[in-house]
Amino acid sequence: MLERNRELWTESIQAFNQYAVAESNRGYLFTGFVDGAKFYPYTDTFTNFIPGTLGLLSKIVGSNTYFQLAVDLLEGAHSVFDEMPSSLGAEAIRFVRKNVPSDYLLLKDKAKKQIDQYGFANEREYYLLRPEYIESLFYMYRMTGNTTYADRVWKVWQGIQRNCRADEGYVGTADVSVDASVSGALNTVDSTESFFYAETFKYLYLTFADHNVLSLDDWVFTTEAHPLSRKIPFDGTF
């Protein structure tokens, strides 16, 4: 049964890599939307959980190839956050695939300008304190010990502090291309989702906590970041 599960996982990841991933004209890998045989170079922040999950599974089955795919996808996600003055990523973006000029030609002028400047265009330019990018950075930091991933989490946290900190808590920011420290004013989405406290804060904390705190060898996190204790630990896999 376990071997069959491994085979099914490999088949699904091969299909995912072949049909749902594309290289941008800046050399980054992004997931896209697939409808039948058509690929749309559009991705949203929800997909940023994929690098962390893929990295975990690659470790379990011992696949260096797909672990590298996880690393490359996370670099693409990083570019979406790092290019913004706020250090926060948009809810959704469009990108231009390498050697597919029609992706660019079909865009409106504003989107073309952002493609030229950032390598992608903000389709939905707000940030709602979502955890997925931080989640994947946390997993990669735990698995590799590479402090670059922790540094990137810290940079996002600083962006949240500058752009999302309100008098009574935290709220979303309406435009990630503007930083409040430069504009002098917060441009907020006046709501706070519960996942910010249940997930985003948890992954922020765990990134900088000792690795023995909720060790990945002993605990599994659900999609909502609830830790579940493993009956049989992984014994050093992570």
Side-chain angles (χ1 to χ4, degrees):
M1 175 63 81
L2 290 177
E3 186 59 33
R4 180 54 182 155
N5 288 344
R6 180 187 177 117
E7 291 172 358
L8 289 171
W9 178 83
T10 301
E11 291 172 7
S12 66
I13 294 302
Q14 287 174 343
F16 165 76
N17 190 29
Q18 181 176 355
Y19 298 110
V21 176
E23 182 180 354
S24 76
N25 60 354
R26 292 282 185 94
Y28 291 108
L29 290 188
F30 292 107
T31 59
F33 282 3
V34 179
D35 183 6
K38 187 170 179 58
F39 180 96
Y40 294 90
Y42 170 95
T43 190
D44 60 36
T45 193
F46 298 104
T47 63
N48 287 334
F49 84 91
I50 294 174
T53 301
L54 180 57
L56 286 169
L57 290 167
S58 299
K59 279 281 192 178
I60 292 171
V61 302
S63 173
N64 293 329
T65 298
Y66 291 122
F67 189 83
Q68 186 59 51
L69 175 60
V71 170
D72 293 342
L73 286 170
L74 189 51
E75 287 303 304
H78 169 65
S79 72
V80 173
F81 279 72
D82 195 52
E83 287 287 343
M84 291 296 101
S86 65
S87 301
L88 304 173
E91 181 83 352
I93 66 158
R94 289 191 182 275
F95 62 96
V96 172
R97 287 170 289 176
K98 183 179 180 180
N99 299 325
V100 187
S102 59
D103 287 348
Y104 184 83
L105 296 174
L106 293 172
L107 295 173
K108 295 181 179 180
D109 289 343
K110 180 182 177 180
K112 288 180 179 178
K113 183 177 179 180
Q114 288 189 332
I115 290 285
D116 294 339
Q117 182 175 0
Y118 304 128
F120 55 87
N122 290 330
E123 183 77 7
R124 287 180 276 161
E125 56 196 9
Y126 50 85
Y127 172 71
L128 299 179
L129 303 166
R130 295 198 188 279
E132 287 81 8
Y133 173 57
I134 298 171
E135 174 186 354
S136 283
L137 289 172
F138 156 72
Y139 280 130
M140 283 297 186
Y141 178 46
R142 282 284 182 97
M143 287 186 285
T144 67
N146 186 341
T147 56
T148 295
Y149 296 120
D151 292 340
R152 291 175 177 179
V153 171
W154 184 250
K155 186 173 182 180
V156 173
W157 171 241
Q158 290 177 314
I160 291 172
Q161 287 288 83
R162 292 194 309 271
N163 296 281
C164 303
R165 184 71 169 95
D167 290 340
E168 305 299 331
Y170 291 86
V171 293
T173 185
D175 186 353
V176 295
S177 68
V178 178
D179 189 79
S181 66
V182 177
S183 67
L186 292 176
N187 183 15
T188 61
V189 177
D190 293 326
S191 64
T192 306
E193 301 287 348
S194 61
F195 56 69
F196 177 63
Y197 298 102
E199 300 178 64
T200 308
F201 259 135
K202 189 176 295 176
Y203 289 123
L204 282 165
Y205 165 73
L206 288 173
T207 299
F208 300 104
D210 189 273
H211 286 199
N212 290 326
V213 177
L214 294 178
S215 166
L216 297 181
D217 284 320
D218 300 314
W219 298 85
V220 174
F221 291 91
T222 70
T223 186
E224 302 300 328
H226 302 306
L228 304 177
S229 178
R230 285 186 52 82
K231 184 176 181 179
I232 303 175
F234 278 118
D235 192 26
T237 300
F238 299 106

